[in-house]
Amino acid sequence: MVQTDIQPASPNLTNFDLKSYLEVKKEFVEQSIDKSLPIQEPEKIYEAMRYSLLAGGKRLRPILCLATVELLGENENIAVPTACALEMIHTMSLIHDDLPAMDNDDYRRGRLTNHKVYGEDIAILAGDGLLAYSFEYVAQETVNVSADKIVKVLAILGKAVGANGLVGGQVMDLDCEGKSDVTAQTLSSIHRRKTGALLEACVSSGAVLSGAKDSDLQRLSTYAQNIGLAFQIVDDILDVTATSEQLGKTAGKDISAQKATYPKIWGIETSRVKAQELIDNAIAQLNIYGEKALPLQAIAQYIINRTN
Ligand code: GRG
């Protein structure tokens, strides 16, 4: 667990209406990403990119970015292109993760995976297209933000995707398949890259666009590192406790693919306790911001209560 100075908890957190907050934000994100990627020639690749990008999902990453900007008192419009780009990157990673050469999954977000519909060749290219476009979109569409901040955001995104982020985490994950001696420490270092890096980028890019001070950036990064690890612990728990219908993808895949998981190392109950400790710490990081932190704090609590 990563900790900095902790302030007392806000009593208003339990009263915060997260359901309505997420509904409004999700709708806004859906409209923004729909507009971000109109179909052009060659239609086939744009259709494949849109098939996965607009397939639903919780939209947690763009919402985290927008909520960070709001916490810091800025207008969320400065971060809409970045929020869309984060979802494009996340979708790209799901498309590639599902490929036969990786996790070989048939379902994602309740529908057939990209390669099942368009074939492996187009699915690989759809992921590549989304990744490239995410950077183009931030650079072209971000307004009312200075160029140096936009460059910083592009660097944050590149770092989150690269060999020390998603790519590195995926390589380590593949390396550990079938091994029975993977430690909790190794598992955490996989998931800091594979899951945590992009979640942290959501918050830190929002902070950079908002012109956050170093101390705010540090606090928000610590929040994100904690929710990132908790998110993956919950993901591993859901893989054994939820149904394929609830998850929108094949449940029980971690066991059949002989993946190292937190429930395998700690058991389900201890995994839940550790996830809650991480979430408590994430929430505590933001108490200093008072009411303005309620959305991000409630999202942290949602991460542990989620069922998909
Ligand atoms: C090709 C540059 C490049 C990178 C890809 C395949 C890969 C490298 C990385 C895999 C990353 C991955 C799929 C991590 C899992 C993260 C995770 C827990 C996804 C599920 O996120 P949710 O629950 O999904 O937020 P929704 O559908 O709600 O958005």
Side-chain angles (χ1 to χ4, degrees):
M1 197 183 339
V2 195
Q3 267 182 304
T4 57
D5 52 321
I6 306 287
Q7 309 286 314
S10 160
N12 294 331
L13 184 53
T14 44
N15 296 328
F16 181 75
D17 184 0
L18 182 69
K19 188 165 177 284
S20 304
Y21 180 86
L22 290 180
E23 271 168 20
V24 171
K25 290 288 175 206
K26 190 166 183 285
E27 182 53 31
F28 178 67
V29 168
E30 294 296 340
Q31 286 173 14
S32 303
I33 55 176
D34 190 5
K35 273 191 270 174
S36 74
L37 187 62
I39 299 223
Q40 303 166 39
E41 286 291 329
E43 282 186 16
K44 188 185 196 175
I45 190 65
Y46 282 95
E47 271 168 18
M49 289 157 76
R50 282 178 60 89
Y51 173 80
S52 292
L53 185 64
L54 298 171
K58 296 180 285 298
R59 309 307 192 192
L60 194 62
R61 290 154 189 82
I63 294 174
L64 278 170
C65 177
L66 300 175
T68 301
V69 171
E70 283 180 339
L71 178 147
L72 293 166
E74 295 296 323
N75 188 314
E76 68 179 1
N77 288 336
I78 61 170
V80 172
T82 300
C84 292
L86 287 158
E87 192 63 29
M88 291 174 201
I89 291 171
H90 172 53
T91 303
M92 168 281 297
S93 79
L94 300 179
I95 296 173
H96 283 194
D97 192 51
D98 291 335
L99 287 167
M102 305 266 179
D103 279 2
N104 194 15
D105 256 304
D106 291 353
Y107 290 94
R108 173 70 74 174
R109 291 174 162 172
R111 49 161 85 179
L112 284 171
T113 43
N114 200 289
H115 65 273
K116 282 275 155 192
V117 178
Y118 296 97
E120 270 182 69
D121 46 4
I122 295 298
I124 292 167
L125 293 166
D128 295 346
L130 283 168
L131 180 58
Y133 189 52
S134 68
F135 287 87
E136 179 186 342
Y137 199 66
V138 172
Q140 294 264 17
E141 299 297 325
T142 306
V143 289
N144 299 324
V145 178
S146 60
D148 64 317
K149 288 188 189 128
I150 298 174
V151 170
K152 277 189 192 158
V153 166
L154 294 170
I156 288 171
L157 298 181
K159 191 171 168 198
V161 173
N164 203 26
L166 294 179
V167 169
Q170 182 76 347
V171 170
M172 290 172 73
D173 194 20
L174 292 171
D175 271 352
C176 285
E177 264 180 28
K179 289 189 184 157
S180 56
D181 57 349
V182 178
T183 62
Q185 204 181 3
T186 302
L187 197 54
S188 297
S189 102
I190 293 173
H191 292 305
R192 256 197 301 277
R193 294 172 174 85
K194 198 178 154 178
T195 305
L198 191 59
L199 289 170
E200 188 175 349
C202 299
V203 169
S204 54
S205 60
V208 164
L209 290 167
S210 307
K213 294 183 293 198
D214 284 351
S215 56
D216 290 325
L217 196 53
Q218 177 59 49
R219 210 180 291 281
L220 285 157
S221 295
T222 305
Y223 159 88
Q225 287 156 16
N226 281 290
I227 65 163
L229 218 45
F231 189 91
Q232 187 59 49
I233 296 174
V234 173
D235 221 62
D236 286 0
I237 295 173
L238 288 173
D239 187 71
V240 280
T241 59
T243 62
S244 299
E245 287 68 36
Q246 280 172 313
L247 296 178
K249 61 177 183 177
T250 317
K253 201 71 207 299
D254 292 342
I255 295 172
S256 57
Q258 296 185 289
K259 294 249 184 205
T261 67
Y262 290 102
K264 214 187 259 182
I265 295 176
W266 290 328
I268 291 185
E269 272 324 301
T270 305
S271 299
R272 278 195 222 284
V273 170
K274 301 238 187 213
Q276 188 63 59
E277 280 171 12
L278 288 159
I279 292 300
D280 290 346
N281 186 56
I283 290 172
Q285 294 303 320
L286 306 187
N287 286 336
I288 194 167
Y289 301 106
E291 301 275 302
K292 283 188 292 179
L294 289 175
L296 282 181
Q297 291 178 315
I299 290 170
Q301 194 54 53
Y302 159 77
I303 281 173
I304 204 155
N305 295 332
R306 71 197 173 96
T307 54
N308 71 353

